Every structure is written in structure tokens, then in C-alpha cells.
Amino acid sequence: MVSNIFGGLQKLKVQHQILLLVVLSAAIPASLVGLLGTVSASGSLSTNAESTLQKAVEDEIEEIDNFLRGVSNDVLFMSKLPPIQGMIRAEANGGTDPQSDATYEEWAEQLQAIFAAKIEDVPQYMQLRYIDAAGNELVRVDSVDGAPSIIPNAQLQNKGDRDYFISTTSLSAGEMYVSALNLNREQGAIEEPYRPVIRYATPIVDESGQQQGIVIANVFGNAFLEELESTETQYPGEELFLVNESGYYLSHPDPAKEWGFDLGHEETLAKDFSPDVAEEILNGDGGLIDVGNSILAYDEFIPSSSLPYTLTVINQVPKGSVFSSVNSFKLLAGLTVLVSLGLVIPAAVFRGRQLVALLEKLAANISTSSQEMATTIAEQERIASQQAASVNETTTTMDELEASSRHAAEQANAAVEAAKQASSASEDGAQAVGESLEGMFALEQKVEAIAEQIVNLSGQTGEIGIISQLVMDFANQTNMLALNSSVEAVRAGEHGKGFAVVANEIRKLADQSQKSADRINTLVSDIQKAINETVMVTEEGTKTVKTGVHIAQRTEDSFKEVKGAVNQVVMNNQQVSLNLKQQVDAIQQVVNAMEVINRGAKETATGLNQTKVATEQLNGAAADLQQMV
């Protein structure tokens, strides 16, 4: 069957197939999503509604439990009141309490006052009593129209035969008796109007631990029954029930069904519902039960762990009320899906027709473009072949350029080595010039020292000339004196002959001194001339030495410039060598790239040939597409 459906679809034109698929693609997902959302939301809403019902039952039980727990705490507190112990001691001591000297009656009045105050404070208490170990009521305070009423001793009764007294006296101190919730009886008859009551009692013990009676509180059942009945409902038609462990109604919207176990009629849970439902509720801890048109939410409550009976709160709600939101959502979801399909399908058909028109246009464009591509690809194939040939030529040229660059790099390396040698030689020359310059500096200093010595010698020679002149003058004077002495000796005659000889000798010595002085002057003059010539020569030598020093400095500077130039040549040659090496590497990369381009060009030519074949096939497919659309 499926093959027949697909065969029938294949017979349709593509545009009809597309329109059908568009409609189905809109309807099926929308339906599935709507169905899934409805189921998921319905489940969530149903779970939420059921949780709400169960929570309402639990809240009611919590309120009842809180109320009764407060009663239990009050009864335990009252069992330990001092007036009760005072009454016990006074009764045992002949009417007077030995500890406080208070009489029995005084303690009883105090206990009555405490009970009355408690009833005023808690209106739910119907009766508070202190009963002795024999069952006699010793103190009793009743609630009459909400006001406490102390019962006189003459009206007090004996309750020794009552179940609550017997059960409580069997407990230990601190334990609590809780009665079943039932209608209150006075003198063995049910009070009218009906007053439901629940009793809380605990034993009383004296200071020695002996049991001396009980304290009991009768609590109006209406205190929580009326609250249960007046609870604000969340759903239309919602009803709350309270049943005991036997299934009898303690609270019901129809009062005629209540208290069947006290009034003798069989209005039970099993009568209104099936026995199976009643058994499940009474024996279960809590839950939900579907009973056809309604949902029952229930939970049990145990007033006292010491007693074998329970109370069960039941909340009955019509399904229509519980799941009204679910049903509304389902209806709304279904309408939403239908409206969505009503809006989407026409839009999908319209867009499908536009798509078919676009496909027809595309088919025509593809056919035209494929023909143009075939022509273009043929031209590109021819150009790719030419590019492959050009790449081959370029690769050959780059190989030759690589060899030339490699040779130039080797020459640059040789130039670098020669420049390094020249730099080393220039450093040696500069070092030699520096040493010569140091020698010239030393020679210049020595010549200057010689010049200074010659100057000193010239000065000493001058001093010698001065001394020689003095000697000459002294000789002249001596000669004059000798001459004068000779004259005087002649005048003296015979007596002066000896003196004349001496004078003559002195004159000779003076002449010799004069001649020696003249000779010294001549020598001093010659020495002075030689010194002057030596000074001149020394000055010329000093000038020559300074000129040599200057030349040596210039030579040293020149060598430094040569060394800097050689260093620059070395650096330039190194840079040239590095550049040539980079050029060689770059040329090698270009050669490799050209080889890759060459292979790519060949592959491109092959690919273009294949593209040409594919384009021809595309052209044929475009023609087929035009026929199909």
C-alpha cells in the first residue's frame, strides 16, 4: 500500500508534490505538538488538582490535631495544680493541709476558680472536673452559654462506672486518655440539642506516687466540627466528611446522616459508597479514590496513640469541578490547533506556489548559467594551460637567478674576509704610529731640556766674561800700581830698589793676568758664539720635532679614519652578504612556490576539464527540471 502511495506521488508534477508536502508538513507537526502539549498539560493540571485536594485534607487534620494537642497539654498541666495536692493532703489529715494550714474547702475553692478561669479563657471546654479514686466528683465547673458555672457539692455525681474513669485509672502518671467523639449524655440520656463531646483525662498521683483520682476535660466536639463544616471550599460541589473507625459520620453536609452509632441508624460510608471504597478509606493511611463522577481525597487522624480508633477526613469533589481547568485547556488546545492549521495551511499553499514559481525561474536561470559557465570554463582551461607554460619559464629563470645570487653571495663573503684583513692591518699601522708618536713626544721633551741647559750654559759663560773683565780691570789697576810703585822706588833711590823689583814682578804678573784675561775673553767669546749657534740649531730641532709630532698625530688620525672606513666596509660587506643570502632563500621560496603554482595550474586545468563535463551534465539536468516543473 505504501509503495502504491509513493508510486502515485511520483506521477504528480514536482509543484503538486511540493504543495502536498507543504500541507502535510504544516498539519502533522501542528497536530502532534498540540496533542503532546495537551496530554502533558492535562497531566500536570490533573496532578496539581489532586495535590490540592490532598493538601486540603491534610490542612484540616493539622488544624484538628493542633486543637486537641492544646487540650492534652492543658489537662496535663491541671493535673499538677497545687490545689489538687493540697486537697489530697487535707483530706488525709482530717480536713487541714499540714504544709500550708489551708483547709480542704479553701483548696477546693481555689481549684474551682482555676477551672472557671480556664473555661472563660477557652470557650471550647464544656466541663472540667476533678474526680477522686472512688469515682466521686470533687470539683466540677460547667460551661453554660459560654460562661463558667460551678456545680454545688450536692449536685456532684459518682462516675466510677464510666468507661473514661475506668480507662484513665488504669494509666500511669503522665499518660493521656482520649475518648471517642460522641454525643454527651446526662443521667444516661443523650442531651438535646445534641452536644458532641470528646474527653481528655489523665491520672492524679500524690507525693508518694499513689493514684488519687483523675482530672478530666469534656471538650465541645463542635469546636472543630463546625470549623470543618465551615471550611471554604475551592471547587463547586465540594463536600467534607468526618467518619470514625467504623465508618459512621461524625460530620456531614446532611445532619440526618450524623451520629448513627449513637442514634441507632445505619448511615455509614459503606451505604453511600461501595463497601470496597469504604474499606479502602478506613484501612488506608490516605490517598485519592475515583468513584465515578467524584474524586475522594482522604487522610486518617489518630487522636491518641493509646487508643485503637481513628478519625478520617474525606473531601469529595465532582470530577467536573476538579478537572474543569483541564477540560477547558483541552478544548482551548484543540481549537488553537484547528485555528493554527486554518491559518497555516493557506499560507503554506501560497508560499508553496511561490516556491514552485521560484523553482521554475531557477531552472531557467540554471540552464542559461550552465551554458555560460561551459563557455567560460573552456576559456579558463585555455588560460590555465598558458599559465602553466609561463610558470615553467618563470621557474627556469628563477633557478638561474638563484645560481647567480649564490655566486654573488660567495664573492661578498670573500670581500668580507679581505676587509677584515685590511682592518687588522690598519689596526697594526695605527698602533705603530702611536708608538712613534710617543717617541717623538719623548724626543721633544729631551730637546727642550738640552735647550734649557744651553741657555743656562750661556748665562754661566756670560758670568765668566764678566769675571774675566774684572780680572782684566784688576790687572790694569795692578799694572798702574806697579808702575806707580816703580816710580816711587826710583824716587826712593837705594831704599826703593827692592820695592822696585817687587813692583816689577807685580807688573809682570799683571801683564800675564791681563793676557790671560784677554785669552779668557777670546775663549768666552768663541764659546758664546758656539752656544748661540747651538741654541739656533736646538730651536730648529725643536721646531722639526714639533713638526714631526704634528705629522705623526695627523698620521694617527688618518689611520683611525682608515680603520673606521675599513670597519664600515666590513659591516657593509656583511650586510651585503646577509642580503644576498636572504635573496637566495627568497628565490628558493619563489622557486618552490612556482613549483606549487605549476602543480596547481595543472590540477586547475584538470579540474576545469572535469567542471566542463559536470557543467554539461548540469545543463542536461536543468533541461530535465524544466520539463518536470
Side-chain angles (χ1 to χ4, degrees):
M1 180 177 178
V2 176
S3 60
N4 292 335
I5 293 174
F6 280 103
L9 289 175
Q10 291 177 352
K11 294 179 181 179
L12 297 175
K13 278 194 170 185
V14 173
Q15 57 179 331
H16 297 148
Q17 294 179 14
I18 290 175
L19 290 175
L20 181 59
L21 290 175
V22 167
V23 171
L24 293 177
S25 64
I28 293 175
S31 301
L32 291 177
V33 170
L35 179 60
L36 180 61
T38 301
V39 172
S40 177
S42 299
S44 298
L45 291 174
S46 299
T47 303
N48 184 54
E50 293 172 354
S51 299
T52 301
L53 291 177
Q54 192 67 34
K55 183 65 168 54
V57 172
E58 293 173 356
D59 291 343
E60 291 297 332
I61 289 176
E62 184 177 3
E63 291 180 4
I64 295 173
D65 184 53
N66 290 336
F67 172 76
L68 296 180
R69 189 179 297 112
V71 173
S72 176
N73 293 335
D74 284 347
V75 172
L76 288 173
F77 172 76
M78 288 185 290
S79 68
K80 300 176 182 178
L81 289 174
I84 293 179
Q85 296 297 323
M87 291 174 66
I88 294 173
R89 292 192 299 270
E91 185 178 9
N93 195 43
T96 303
D97 181 8
Q99 292 184 7
S100 62
D101 293 332
T103 64
Y104 178 90
E105 288 75 14
E106 291 174 344
W107 280 124
E109 290 176 358
Q110 290 186 27
L111 184 59
Q112 290 172 350
I114 292 173
F115 282 173
K118 176 60 70 174
I119 288 177
E120 288 182 350
D121 186 48
V122 184
Q124 289 83 358
Y125 287 134
M126 181 177 70
Q127 192 177 83
L128 295 177
R129 290 176 290 172
Y130 167 36
I131 302 175
D132 65 11
N136 297 314
E137 294 178 337
L138 301 181
V139 175
R140 172 179 170 180
V141 179
D142 291 351
S143 175
V144 179
D145 297 331
S149 174
I150 299 175
I151 304 302
N153 293 333
Q155 298 180 12
L156 298 178
Q157 304 174 19
N158 184 279
K159 302 293 183 179
D161 59 344
R162 300 298 173 90
D163 291 339
Y164 59 79
F165 178 78
I166 298 172
S167 298
T168 304
T169 54
S170 65
L171 299 177
S172 301
E175 292 182 339
M176 184 65 60
Y177 163 82
V178 181
S179 72
L181 181 63
N182 53 21
L183 298 178
N184 189 49
R185 296 174 182 268
E186 288 296 334
Q187 304 297 331
I190 297 175
E191 282 188 317
E192 292 186 5
Y194 302 141
R195 293 203 298 176
V197 63
I198 186 170
R199 298 171 179 84
Y200 275 72
T202 188
I204 295 175
V205 296
D206 58 16
E207 296 174 353
S208 63
Q210 296 295 319
Q211 194 175 105
Q212 298 294 330
I214 66 171
V215 168
I216 183 170
N218 291 10
V219 183
F220 287 115
N222 291 332
F224 54 87
L225 292 178
E226 291 177 356
E227 182 178 356
L228 181 68
E229 294 170 357
S230 63
T231 299
E232 183 177 355
T233 58
Q234 298 182 2
Y235 301 100
E238 180 179 0
E239 294 179 338
L240 287 173
F241 310 141
L242 180 65
V243 297
N244 62 12
E245 72 279 2
S246 300
Y248 286 97
Y249 291 110
L250 304 181
S251 176
H252 193 280
D254 182 5
K257 292 180 177 291
E258 297 175 346
W259 312 109
F261 61 93
D262 276 335
L263 300 178
H265 55 76
E266 292 297 322
E267 295 293 341
T268 64
L269 191 65
K271 182 179 180 181
D272 292 339
F273 303 97
S274 68
D276 293 337
V277 172
E279 183 178 2
E280 182 176 355
I281 292 175
L282 297 177
N283 295 329
D285 294 332
L288 296 172
I289 299 178
D290 187 345
V291 292
N293 295 328
S294 301
I295 297 292
L296 298 180
Y298 67 95
D299 200 0
E300 69 174 11
F301 167 65
I302 301 176
S304 174
S305 58
S306 62
L307 297 176
Y309 74 89
T310 61
L311 301 178
T312 302
V313 177
I314 304 172
N315 189 7
Q316 180 179 5
V317 184
K319 279 186 178 180
S321 298
V322 176
F323 300 112
S324 60
S325 59
V326 178
N327 296 330
S328 300
F329 177 78
K330 289 180 179 179
L331 179 61
L332 179 61
L335 292 176
T336 302
V337 171
L338 293 177
V339 172
S340 300
L341 290 176
L343 295 175
V344 170
I345 290 177
V349 171
F350 175 73
R351 294 298 294 172
R353 293 185 182 279
Q354 289 182 335
L355 180 61
V356 170
L358 179 61
L359 288 175
E360 292 176 347
K361 184 177 180 181
L362 288 175
N365 291 338
I366 290 171
S367 179
T368 303
S369 299
S370 62
Q371 293 176 357
E372 294 177 354
M373 286 173 61
T375 303
T376 304
I377 289 171
E379 181 65 21
Q380 289 180 349
E381 184 179 8
R382 183 183 62 80
I383 294 172
S385 298
Q386 292 178 355
Q387 288 179 347
S390 299
V391 168
N392 285 327
E393 294 176 0
T394 303
T395 303
T396 303
T397 303
M398 293 304 295
D399 288 335
E400 295 175 354
L401 180 59
E402 181 188 7
S404 176
S405 297
R406 194 177 301 280
H407 182 66
E410 292 175 355
Q411 291 179 343
N413 288 331
V416 169
E417 293 299 326
K420 288 182 178 179
Q421 293 177 0
S423 176
S424 177
S426 65
E427 289 180 358
D428 294 339
Q431 184 177 0
V433 170
E435 293 175 354
S436 298
L437 184 60
E438 291 177 358
M440 295 294 288
F441 281 138
L443 178 60
E444 182 182 15
Q445 292 175 357
K446 290 180 180 179
V447 170
E448 289 178 352
I450 292 170
E452 290 178 358
Q453 294 296 328
I454 290 172
V455 171
N456 293 333
L457 181 60
S458 177
Q460 292 175 358
T461 304
E463 291 178 357
I464 291 171
I466 294 171
I467 294 170
S468 177
Q469 186 65 40
L470 291 174
V471 171
M472 187 179 291
D473 292 340
F474 180 73
N476 287 332
Q477 292 176 3
T478 301
N479 196 8
M480 289 297 294
L481 288 173
L483 181 59
N484 291 329
S485 295
S486 296
V487 172
E488 291 297 328
V490 172
R491 285 180 181 176
E494 288 293 335
H495 295 289
K497 290 182 178 179
F499 187 74
V501 174
V502 174
N504 189 28
E505 290 297 327
I506 291 172
R507 186 174 58 78
K508 290 179 181 180
L509 290 172
D511 290 338
Q512 290 177 358
S513 297
Q514 186 174 7
K515 290 178 180 180
S516 297
D518 290 338
R519 182 60 180 167
I520 290 171
N521 286 332
T522 301
L523 291 174
V524 169
S525 178
D526 293 338
I527 292 171
Q528 190 69 41
K529 289 179 181 179
I531 288 173
N532 291 333
E533 291 176 357
T534 302
V535 170
M536 293 177 65
V537 172
T538 302
E539 289 179 353
E540 291 295 330
T542 302
K543 292 180 180 179
T544 302
V545 170
K546 289 183 176 180
T547 302
V549 170
H550 182 65
I551 292 171
Q553 287 178 339
R554 291 176 61 188
T555 303
E556 184 181 21
D557 295 338
S558 298
F559 269 109
K560 289 181 179 178
E561 292 178 357
V562 170
K563 181 181 178 182
V566 170
N567 289 335
Q568 187 64 35
V569 170
V570 171
M571 293 178 62
N572 291 336
N573 285 336
Q574 288 177 343
Q575 186 64 38
V576 169
S577 177
L578 180 61
N579 292 337
L580 288 174
K581 185 177 182 302
Q582 292 177 348
Q583 289 178 1
V584 170
D585 294 339
I587 290 171
Q588 183 63 41
Q589 292 177 357
V590 171
V591 170
N592 295 335
M594 294 304 293
E595 290 178 355
V596 174
I597 293 173
N598 190 11
R599 290 196 300 269
K602 291 179 181 179
E603 293 175 357
T604 301
T606 303
L608 288 173
N609 189 15
Q610 295 175 354
T611 305
K612 181 179 179 182
V613 175
T615 303
E616 291 176 354
Q617 295 176 354
L618 179 61
N619 194 8
D624 295 339
L625 181 60
Q626 285 180 328
Q627 293 178 358
M628 291 175 64
V629 176

